[in-house]
Amino acid sequence: MPAVGGITAGGKEYPGNLTPFVTVTCVVAAMGGLIFGYDIGISGGVTTMPSFLRKFFPSVYRKQMEDKSTNQYCQYDSQKLTMFTSSLYLAALVASIVAATVTRRFGRKLSMLFGGLLFCSGAIINGAAKAVWMLILGRMLLGFGIGFANQSVPLYLSEMAPYKFRGALNIGFQLSITIGILVANILNYFFAKIKGGWGWRLSLGGAMVPALIITVGSLVLPDTPNSMIERGQHQEAREKLKRIRGIDDVEEEFSDLVAASDESKKVEHPWRNLLQRKYRPHLTMAIMIPFFQQLTGINVIMFYAPVLFETIGFKSDASLMSAVITGSVNVAATLVSIYGVDKWGRRFLFLEGGTQMLICQAVVTAAIGAKFGVNGNPGDLPKWYAIVVVLFICIYVAGFAWSWGPLGWLVPSEIFPLEIRSAAQSINVSVNMIFTFLIAQVFLTMLCHLKFGLFLFFAFFVLVMSVFVYFFVPETKGIPIEEMSRVWKSHWYWSRYVTDEDFPYRGGVEMGKNGQAVKEV
């Protein structure tokens, strides 16, 4: 029996180089993550600005300002306030389903363009908001933009990158998310100091900048050879593949892309096809990986980092500064993942990051529980005590940033066969957005009721997801995207669902029991 999660079969290697053209292309495309990251960072920051709360959420403002002895756990418990943050993710859920059709029929670039335009519209409305309904409308448009971008950008990167460097280039998307979070936290820190209390308008309206980056980028980027072949542009796709790989000998890879496209066109209902037995592992990963990614608890930190730090005893400015610190750690640790993902493999990073997060959550639980108890009133926190809490939260963020953060987007985008790729990626984004919405909507209420035990709630899921990775997630490092079926056929568990008959081997590559050598579906 193969090793747990391992690969026992060999495979072909396509020739090609990491060309400046493909590097620049992937860097520009990865900037699509800026809009997601900027929104995550900005929404948590503006909800701690007194002028913003006073204008749109006066009940929260009164609770915060008038009763200084209030239970710190429950200070921000407002369904209207959390709806401001989480409404975006319902819109992203809807958009990701529509984006699957757009991405498949019209290419990855058009989805990215729609994402940028919709996000820009939402930023303008939010920056000019006069009432809560304008905030919610703007957030929904932002959500539509994120749904399109998150559906198309990871696919684009996985299809453009040479398979040996696919992990590093794809993680550029997550790096952009972390940079967006960091920039948003820095801007919140300075905008909160503007006299007159209108800095929140600059924070929300500033989302136009990353929106314009992805909009312009989508207009100048080339389409992927996979997408061009799907739309019948074979000669253009061959020439584009030569330029991307930096060599003239691309016939083997090109013929495999054409064969995969021909088979994918026979699939009339990719959504229905996802339910077939042979796609069981793909569907499982498309659901479980984004589900677990959100239940690491990271969005608790990133959405509400300023709220959380203020809750554990920091003053308003200090809480925003602490969020800047965690954002910086997030960016730095993502760079570690870019360096190591194609060297150490996906499974190693998943398991190491999970262990690191679990330990930190236990320490933070003990630290907050010891000082806040169940009544949520810590009195005066010693400076060193607050620094220790921030330190372990930063170590936790680092663990996420080089494991579940980037790999939660990378692994699903690289494992789907072409015939179900757009639909399966849509499932991946949809599940991600559903649980992002749920966590954002119920977090402040959970914090009020579970108190410091909330961190144990997420720690439990970190333990479960690490066990899931160990037994059920195969290593995908160094596998060409169109040859990915072999990781399932050699896996100790998934091989019962994926057989040689379901995914025959291509190009004379002899693997498995009977050494079949025919074109892969």
Side-chain angles (χ1 to χ4, degrees), residues 34-45:
L34 287 174
I35 62 175
F36 193 24
Y38 186 89
D39 180 80
I40 290 173
I42 219 72
S43 57

Side-chain angles (χ1 to χ4, degrees), residues 155 282-283 286 412-418 420-421 424-425 428 481:
L155 289 186
H282 309 83
L283 182 60
S413 73
E414 67 184 358
I415 62 172
F416 304 134
L418 186 62
I420 62 166
R421 191 168 297 158
Q425 177 67 2
N428 178 50
I481 193 169

Side-chain angles (χ1 to χ4, degrees), residues 135-248:
L135 283 180
I136 303 298
L137 175 61
R139 294 286 293 170
M140 292 182 71
L141 287 172
L142 294 177
F144 289 139
I146 287 174
F148 273 94
N150 286 12
Q151 209 280 340
S152 54
V153 172
L155 289 186
Y156 183 95
L157 293 170
S158 286
E159 291 179 348
M160 288 293 285
Y163 71 94
K164 290 182 180 179
F165 305 99
R166 186 177 61 245
L169 291 175
N170 191 289
I171 290 175
F173 176 69
Q174 177 68 16
L175 178 63
S176 288
I177 293 176
T178 63
I179 291 173
I181 294 171
L182 176 59
V183 169
N185 286 331
I186 293 173
L187 292 178
N188 277 335
Y189 180 73
F190 288 105
F191 290 159
K193 296 178 179 296
I194 293 178
K195 291 182 179 180
W198 53 274
W200 60 268
R201 292 194 184 275
L202 293 179
S203 291
L204 295 177
M208 287 188 292
V209 176
L212 290 174
I213 290 175
I214 185 177
T215 300
V216 174
S218 66
L219 294 174
V220 300
L221 289 173
D223 220 335
T224 67
N226 309 63
S227 180
M228 296 169 77
I229 290 170
E230 275 191 284
R231 304 199 307 277
Q233 302 170 3
H234 284 209
Q235 187 56 40
E236 296 93 328
R238 180 185 279 107
E239 295 305 314
K240 187 64 65 180
L241 191 60
K242 289 180 181 179
R243 188 177 181 192
I244 290 170
R245 299 294 179 248
I247 57 174
D248 291 328

Side-chain angles (χ1 to χ4, degrees), residues 39 232 261 280 441 474 479:
D39 180 80
S261 178
R280 193 72 52 82
Q441 189 64 28
I479 309 295

